[in-house]
Amino acid sequence: MRSFRHWVVQYAGLIAVLLLLIAVFSMMSDHFFQKSTLITIANQIPDLTFLAVGMTLVLIIGGIDLSVGSLLALSSAVLGVLMADQGWPIAFALPIALLVAGSCGLINGMISIGFGIPSFIVTLGMLEIARGATKVVTDSQSVYIGSRIEWFGQPLGGLLLSPAFIASLVAVIIGQLVLTRTIFGRYCVAIGTNAEAVRMSGIRAAPYSIAVFGISGLLCGLAGLAQTSRLSTADPNGAIGIELAAIAACVIGGTSLMGGRGSVISSFMGVLIIQVLQTGLAQIGVSDANKQMITGVVIIVAVLLDALRNRWSQK
């Protein structure tokens, strides 16, 4: 009964919200509930999904990462310049792009954890550094790659889902298993719940926290690959503001901004809710300004519901 109650509290509400949005937009638009629309939604979310997986882990340890959008753009820029300008194959260019993004994530962690500086400040600085580096690498020009990378973001013949979506789904599954079935994941939850208790238990929390920021950076690199493959281009001005969408997806999914609680699967469902909302509003002709306001209201409502859910689960 306790396990069933936990499942209902954690997932049933998100599934209900997602189904409700699909039903509402299907009634308001004749073109929403079609296979082509649903496939388009699935193939547009890999980059945000990768970021949400990393953001979930960061939030669980009590941190926050505002640099994910800029790291996505930087990894995309490195990938684009190496493939388009230098002629490197993706097998050689991708590891370099992942290394750059992962290293920046580790730097975030080492400065924040090592010097006790709030991750909000450190990652805000990295946001500016990485965005500036992106413009330096690309000379502030979009880098077109074309068919050499498009295949990763294009739907497969019979499956109709892109390799990018499949890879992001694998990342969600691995992230959830790491969080719930490994010592590393349980230590992350413990650190976010009470870091001092973890320290007094004889566990060094710093390496785990730094590793989480490194993982977040690595996932930014994969998000850069996903976005670049979908656009066929490395855009130095791309992914601006996507860090807020990643945080919103996690919050909608029930991940606590105070640390110690979260689920990668729930964050993925938050990504789906955001994308369905954005696509549905676009199809019924809502302006971008109104879409932003409506999305903001949804986020606030999600936070309020999360607070009520916490009180109910404690009772």
Side-chain angles (χ1 to χ4, degrees):
M1 288 297 296
R2 181 180 299 177
S3 177
F4 176 75
R5 182 183 178 187
H6 174 76
W7 184 91
V8 170
V9 169
Q10 190 165 18
Y11 298 118
L14 292 172
I15 295 174
V17 170
L18 185 59
L19 293 178
L20 178 62
L21 286 175
I22 293 174
V24 169
F25 287 127
S26 297
M27 290 186 292
M28 298 181 69
S29 172
D30 296 334
H31 304 289
F32 185 82
F33 196 68
Q34 294 181 354
K35 183 171 68 174
S36 58
T37 300
L38 299 179
I39 291 173
T40 299
I41 290 174
N43 292 324
Q44 285 180 340
I45 63 171
D47 46 357
L48 183 56
T49 299
F50 281 122
L51 297 185
V53 173
M55 188 67 73
T56 301
L57 298 177
V58 172
L59 291 175
I60 283 175
I61 65 169
I64 196 168
D65 191 347
L66 300 180
S67 67
V68 293
S70 295
L71 294 185
L72 184 161
L74 178 58
S75 63
S76 174
V78 172
L79 187 65
V81 169
L82 290 178
M83 291 186 68
D85 295 349
Q86 304 300 321
W88 287 26
I90 189 172
F92 295 150
L94 180 58
I96 301 300
L98 295 178
L99 178 62
V100 170
S103 298
C104 291
L106 285 175
I107 292 172
N108 282 336
M110 287 187 291
I111 295 176
S112 177
I113 306 303
F115 292 91
I117 303 173
S119 56
F120 178 91
I121 301 299
V122 176
T123 58
L124 182 62
M126 182 60 74
L127 178 153
E128 296 293 342
I129 294 171
R131 184 63 64 176
T134 300
K135 294 179 179 179
V136 170
V137 170
T138 61
D139 197 24
S140 297
Q141 302 294 320
S142 296
V143 180
Y144 178 73
I145 304 174
S147 59
R148 296 176 61 197
I149 200 170
E150 285 177 348
W151 61 269
F152 189 69
Q154 296 296 321
L156 298 173
L159 190 58
L160 299 179
L161 297 173
S162 66
F165 175 78
I166 297 172
S168 67
L169 201 59
V170 171
V172 169
I173 295 171
I174 293 175
Q176 183 68 15
L177 290 175
V178 168
L179 187 60
T180 60
R181 295 290 186 268
T182 67
I183 294 175
F184 177 85
R186 293 177 181 177
Y187 280 175
C188 288
V189 174
I191 291 168
T193 303
N194 193 329
E196 183 62 19
V198 172
R199 186 188 67 81
M200 294 183 67
S201 299
I203 301 170
R204 294 184 60 211
Y208 294 95
S209 299
I210 293 173
V212 165
F213 279 97
I215 292 171
S216 178
L218 187 64
L219 288 167
C220 290
L222 292 174
L225 169 64
Q227 187 175 95
T228 305
S229 65
R230 189 175 74 250
L231 302 177
S232 307
T233 301
D235 183 4
N237 296 311
I240 293 178
I242 197 173
E243 59 276 355
L244 301 181
I247 295 171
C250 295
V251 171
I252 290 173
T255 298
S256 174
L257 293 174
M258 300 296 104
R261 178 172 53 82
S263 165
V264 176
I265 292 177
S266 294
S267 295
F268 174 64
M269 296 178 69
V271 171
L272 290 176
I273 289 172
I274 288 177
Q275 190 60 49
V276 167
L277 183 64
Q278 294 290 329
T279 303
L281 291 174
Q283 284 203 1
I284 63 176
V286 177
S287 66
D288 289 340
N290 288 328
K291 281 196 296 183
Q292 286 183 315
M293 289 191 292
I294 293 172
T295 303
V297 170
V298 170
I299 294 171
I300 293 175
V301 171
V303 173
L304 292 175
L305 291 176
D306 181 58
L308 294 174
R309 182 179 64 177
N310 287 337
R311 294 181 183 180
W312 181 69
S313 62
Q314 289 173 0
K315 292 180 181 179

